[in-house]
Amino acid sequence: MKIGIIGAGSIGLLLASYLSNTFSITLYTRTTEQAKEINDHGLHLIKGTEQFKFDIFALPINKWTGSEDLTIIAVKQYQLDSLLRNLDGANSHQALLFLQNGMGHLELLTKLQPENIYVGSIEHGAQKVNANTVRHNGEGKINVAVFRGEATKLVDFAKKVPETFPFIIKDDYYKILVNKLIINAVINPLTAILQVKNGELVDNPFYYTALRNLFTEIAYILNIDQAENLQKQLMDICKKTANNYSSMLKDVEAKRKTEVDAILGFLLTEAKKQEKEAPLVESYYSLIKGKEENWRDSV
Amino acid sequence: MKIGIIGAGSIGLLLASYLSNTFSITLYTRTTEQAKEINDHGLHLIKGTEQFKFDIFALPINKWTGSEDLTIIAVKQYQLDSLLRNLDGANSHQALLFLQNGMGHLELLTKLQPENIYVGSIEHGAQKVNANTVRHNGEGKINVAVFRGEATKLVDFAKKVPETFPFIIKDDYYKILVNKLIINAVINPLTAILQVKNGELVDNPFYYTALRNLFTEIAYILNIDQAENLQKQLMDICKKTANNYSSMLKDVEAKRKTEVDAILGFLLTEAKKQEKEAPLVESYYSLIKGKEENWRDSV
């Protein structure tokens, strides 16, 4: 089975590493340089104290023709718009799996040509070390579901993936994404603003109050029924990933663009649509956007 | 005119410096060591590139008998409770001027013996460099008003202070304190959490949104009528002190106890009394208290 992976950031590199022994992988990179680096020197995966090397075939993204059985799109949500406008090879027979955080991209997906569109959310923690090296920090699973079309290609794919890197097929794509969104929308901004590891949000009683208040506002915006379950799940994730730095905190520390628009920005739009007050979402959004604004100025 | 100054932090040292040529000053310190340091080596004031030395008579606080015509209390609000319980010399003939931030201490003042009680708020920026050195970072005035009793001693004092260090007598103590409280409650937590100078709160459009939202919530809690004027005043202060680091930011950076209880804590209590929602005040309060909690752990 031929698999295309678009995007060679931390998640793209992680997918390519774990899937390369089972599938025929083509990894599509944004730059020609990165493709060359991967083709010439292989892809390195660091896990704990171990390091593994994989031979991966990489191409720059403009070479994508959609010839693979399934293409996994692993770019950031804010890169999706320009990517899809330039994806010339897209036609109606393809199957695409989108692994972005947030939910703002769903509207974009309805306008695509390919019949079979899947979405998913990732629980893994990964960090791109350099153009051809990725560190796997936290194991998890990837939850996937049909957004539109037939499940066939997704089922075929999920059956074959290695046991150590599971893809779990779920019925309800909305639920997968909304759960991930809520978790991201609480953990990411708080850790990024406070500059603390995930675990501190539940260990520190004052931070926990801030977490609970933000969660409650978000659950209200998204009309969540069983908020208690989800709040418990949120706390479990903070405990399980206690020593991890959230992706938004890492972005803020590296002065990179964050995913705040995909996460809190989406929630703000939802709140406005429903004419709901969202003081906390709006303020945390402003604090993170303000940080981004400052780096823009200093560049 | 004999003036006592209780508290030898940044404000106490600043007052002693500027008032020592005009009045007979006794400066009361928390520790015997600091009193000795000041008595032995004088008090140093740094202003820009200039440095001035003053001979000041200092005593540890337990030597205070209330023999001065006016005693200015320049400790932090959170130190006031234990200070007043141990102030043995207090009697009904004294005049006391309280210069604390916040408003939570007003209730405490109603229970004191002295007949003449004044309160005030400080616009100066000052930083304690060491036990007997203070840096004057930003010039301003000190607004004072009668809280209870006769104005006589306050008026006598205010007439005599040097022109370069003005004390302005106002009619309405509540207004002085509430204005200062609002300004502190907005600028301090935001700058402390974002770790930015005051000016960035108005220069950065996203931070400005966060500032406006917090201001609006606080004005609602305090039932402020002319919020537009006060918001303009708040912006002017941010611009005028653009290059300053707020006291709460300095406290956070030095991992010292902040004045968040006197400022946001007071507003939270007010909101609860009136059964008003205060999501932003509550969250910013939690974020700052959480930081304090972390240092406590690490000590």
Side-chain angles (χ1 to χ4, degrees):
Chain A
M1 194 173 183
K2 287 181 183 170
I3 303 292
I5 298 170
I6 296 182
S10 60
I11 297 301
L13 295 181
L14 191 74
L15 290 166
S17 303
Y18 277 95
L19 301 177
S20 66
N21 287 337
T22 315
F23 303 99
S24 165
I25 300 281
T26 308
L27 177 60
Y28 295 93
T29 63
R30 192 167 54 83
T31 64
T32 314
E33 291 73 26
Q34 190 181 5
K36 189 174 182 319
E37 190 70 19
I38 292 167
N39 288 326
D40 289 356
H41 303 291
L43 176 55
H44 298 265
L45 170 73
I46 303 170
K47 200 178 164 190
T49 55
E50 290 186 293
Q51 186 157 344
F52 308 90
K53 188 188 166 192
F54 304 94
D55 289 323
I56 302 279
F57 180 54
L59 283 175
I61 178 64
N62 58 14
K63 302 290 184 198
W64 185 77
T65 59
S67 61
E68 293 89 1
D69 300 297
L70 175 70
T71 300
I72 305 176
I73 291 95
V75 301
K76 300 275 188 193
Q77 201 206 73
Y78 56 76
Q79 298 166 321
L80 210 51
D81 196 35
S82 73
L83 174 76
L84 294 176
R85 270 189 276 119
N86 295 310
L87 224 53
D88 294 330
N91 65 56
S92 61
H93 304 299
Q94 286 148 3
L96 305 179
L97 168 58
F98 289 87
L99 294 179
Q100 285 64 42
N101 279 326
M103 299 182 75
H105 58 299
L106 295 182
E107 209 180 316
L108 207 61
L109 302 192
T110 61
K111 296 171 191 156
L112 295 181
Q113 279 199 37
E115 280 162 10
N116 301 304
I117 295 183
Y118 313 128
V119 294
S121 83
I122 297 164
E123 291 175 0
H124 295 275
Q127 191 179 2
K128 183 176 170 177
V129 177
N130 60 35
N132 64 332
T133 310
V134 62
R135 182 180 286 119
H136 195 179
N137 293 324
E139 285 186 48
K141 51 192 194 302
I142 299 179
N143 293 311
V144 290
V146 174
F147 175 70
R148 180 176 84 190
E150 298 283 334
T152 328
K153 283 185 179 169
L154 186 64
V155 173
D156 282 357
F157 167 74
K159 268 186 204 158
K160 289 176 190 147
V161 297
E163 270 179 36
T164 53
F165 198 73
F167 280 67
I168 311 296
I169 298 185
K170 300 273 188 179
D171 288 335
D172 186 348
Y173 80 86
Y174 185 84
K175 205 172 162 186
I176 296 179
L177 295 191
V178 94
N179 281 10
K180 182 73 189 293
L181 176 72
I182 291 174
I183 288 159
N184 278 331
V186 175
I187 297 177
N188 271 315
L190 284 173
T191 52
I193 286 160
L194 293 167
Q195 299 180 284
V196 298
K197 293 179 182 178
N198 294 353
E200 283 203 45
L201 297 185
V202 288
D203 286 345
N204 182 311
F206 295 103
Y207 293 165
Y208 183 59
T209 298
L211 173 145
R212 250 188 6 233
N213 291 351
L214 180 56
F215 171 80
T216 303
E217 185 174 302
I218 292 169
Y220 163 68
I221 295 170
L222 292 171
N223 306 300
I224 301 300
D225 286 335
Q226 297 173 306
E228 300 77 22
N229 287 348
L230 200 54
Q231 192 180 324
K232 200 185 157 299
Q233 198 182 324
L234 177 66
M235 287 183 60
D236 288 345
I237 289 175
C238 288
K239 286 177 194 163
K240 215 175 132 184
T241 63
N243 283 312
N244 288 13
Y245 296 96
S246 76
S247 59
M248 196 174 282
L249 172 54
K250 283 188 277 188
D251 287 340
V252 163
E253 288 190 337
K255 303 194 174 187
R256 278 190 303 256
K257 186 172 166 60
T258 72
E259 292 192 276
V260 72
D261 278 305
I263 298 170
L264 295 181
F266 172 79
L267 290 170
L268 263 187
T269 310
E270 279 302 300
K272 270 178 199 146
K273 270 187 210 163
Q274 301 175 55
E275 297 183 359
K276 287 179 178 171
E277 301 266 328
L280 298 178
V281 169
E282 190 173 357
S283 282
Y284 287 119
Y285 177 80
S286 301
L287 302 187
I288 301 284
K289 288 297 282 183
K291 284 183 184 273
E292 290 185 354
E293 183 79 4
N294 276 5
W295 312 323
R296 234 173 36 122
D297 288 351
S298 65
V299 168
Chain B
M1 194 173 184
K2 288 183 185 171
I3 302 292
I5 298 170
I6 297 183
S10 59
I11 296 302
L13 296 181
L14 191 75
L15 290 166
S17 303
Y18 277 95
L19 301 179
S20 66
N21 287 338
T22 315
F23 302 98
S24 163
I25 299 282
T26 308
L27 176 60
Y28 295 92
T29 63
R30 192 168 53 82
T31 64
T32 314
E33 290 74 25
Q34 190 181 2
K36 188 175 184 315
E37 189 70 20
I38 292 167
N39 288 326
D40 290 355
H41 303 292
L43 176 54
H44 298 266
L45 170 71
I46 302 170
K47 199 178 166 192
T49 55
E50 291 186 292
Q51 186 156 342
F52 308 91
K53 189 187 165 190
F54 304 92
D55 289 323
I56 302 279
F57 179 53
L59 283 174
I61 178 63
N62 58 14
K63 303 287 184 201
W64 184 77
T65 59
S67 60
E68 293 88 2
D69 299 298
L70 174 70
T71 299
I72 305 176
I73 291 96
V75 301
K76 298 275 186 193
Q77 200 205 74
Y78 57 77
Q79 298 166 322
L80 209 51
D81 195 36
S82 74
L83 174 76
L84 294 176
R85 268 188 277 119
N86 296 309
L87 224 53
D88 294 331
N91 65 57
S92 60
H93 304 298
Q94 287 146 5
L96 305 179
L97 168 57
F98 289 87
L99 294 180
Q100 284 64 41
N101 279 326
M103 300 183 74
H105 58 297
L106 294 182
E107 210 181 314
L108 207 60
L109 303 192
T110 61
K111 296 172 191 155
L112 295 180
Q113 280 199 38
E115 279 163 11
N116 302 306
I117 295 183
Y118 313 127
V119 295
S121 83
I122 298 164
E123 290 174 2
H124 295 275
Q127 190 178 1
K128 183 176 170 177
V129 177
N130 60 37
N132 65 332
T133 310
V134 62
R135 182 181 286 122
H136 195 180
N137 293 324
E139 285 187 49
K141 50 192 195 302
I142 299 180
N143 293 311
V144 290
V146 174
F147 175 72
R148 181 177 81 191
E150 298 282 335
T152 329
K153 284 187 179 169
L154 187 63
V155 173
D156 282 356
F157 167 75
K159 268 187 203 155
K160 291 176 188 146
V161 297
E163 270 178 37
T164 54
F165 198 74
F167 280 66
I168 311 296
I169 298 186
K170 300 274 187 177
D171 289 333
D172 187 347
Y173 79 85
Y174 185 84
K175 204 171 161 187
I176 296 179
L177 295 191
V178 93
N179 281 9
K180 181 74 189 292
L181 176 72
I182 292 174
I183 288 158
N184 278 331
V186 175
I187 297 177
N188 271 315
L190 283 173
T191 51
I193 286 160
L194 292 168
Q195 300 180 282
V196 297
K197 292 178 182 179
N198 294 353
E200 283 203 43
L201 298 185
V202 288
D203 286 343
N204 182 310
F206 295 102
Y207 293 166
Y208 182 57
T209 299
L211 174 145
R212 250 188 10 233
N213 290 351
L214 180 56
F215 171 79
T216 304
E217 186 175 301
I218 291 169
Y220 163 67
I221 294 171
L222 291 172
N223 307 300
I224 302 300
D225 285 334
Q226 297 172 307
E228 299 77 22
N229 287 348
L230 200 54
Q231 192 180 323
K232 201 187 155 299
Q233 199 182 324
L234 177 66
M235 285 183 62
D236 287 345
I237 290 174
C238 287
K239 285 176 195 163
K240 213 174 133 187
T241 63
N243 283 313
N244 288 13
Y245 295 96
S246 76
S247 60
M248 196 175 283
L249 173 54
K250 283 188 275 189
D251 288 339
V252 163
E253 287 189 338
K255 302 194 174 187
R256 280 192 300 256
K257 186 172 167 62
T258 72
E259 292 191 275
V260 73
D261 278 306
I263 299 169
L264 294 182
F266 172 78
L267 290 171
L268 263 186
T269 310
E270 278 302 300
K272 270 179 201 147
K273 270 187 208 162
Q274 301 175 55
E275 297 183 359
K276 287 179 179 171
E277 300 267 325
L280 297 179
V281 169
E282 189 174 357
S283 282
Y284 287 119
Y285 177 79
S286 301
L287 301 187
I288 301 286
K289 288 297 282 186
K291 283 181 185 275
E292 290 185 353
E293 181 78 6
N294 276 5
W295 313 323
R296 234 173 37 122
D297 288 351
S298 66
V299 169

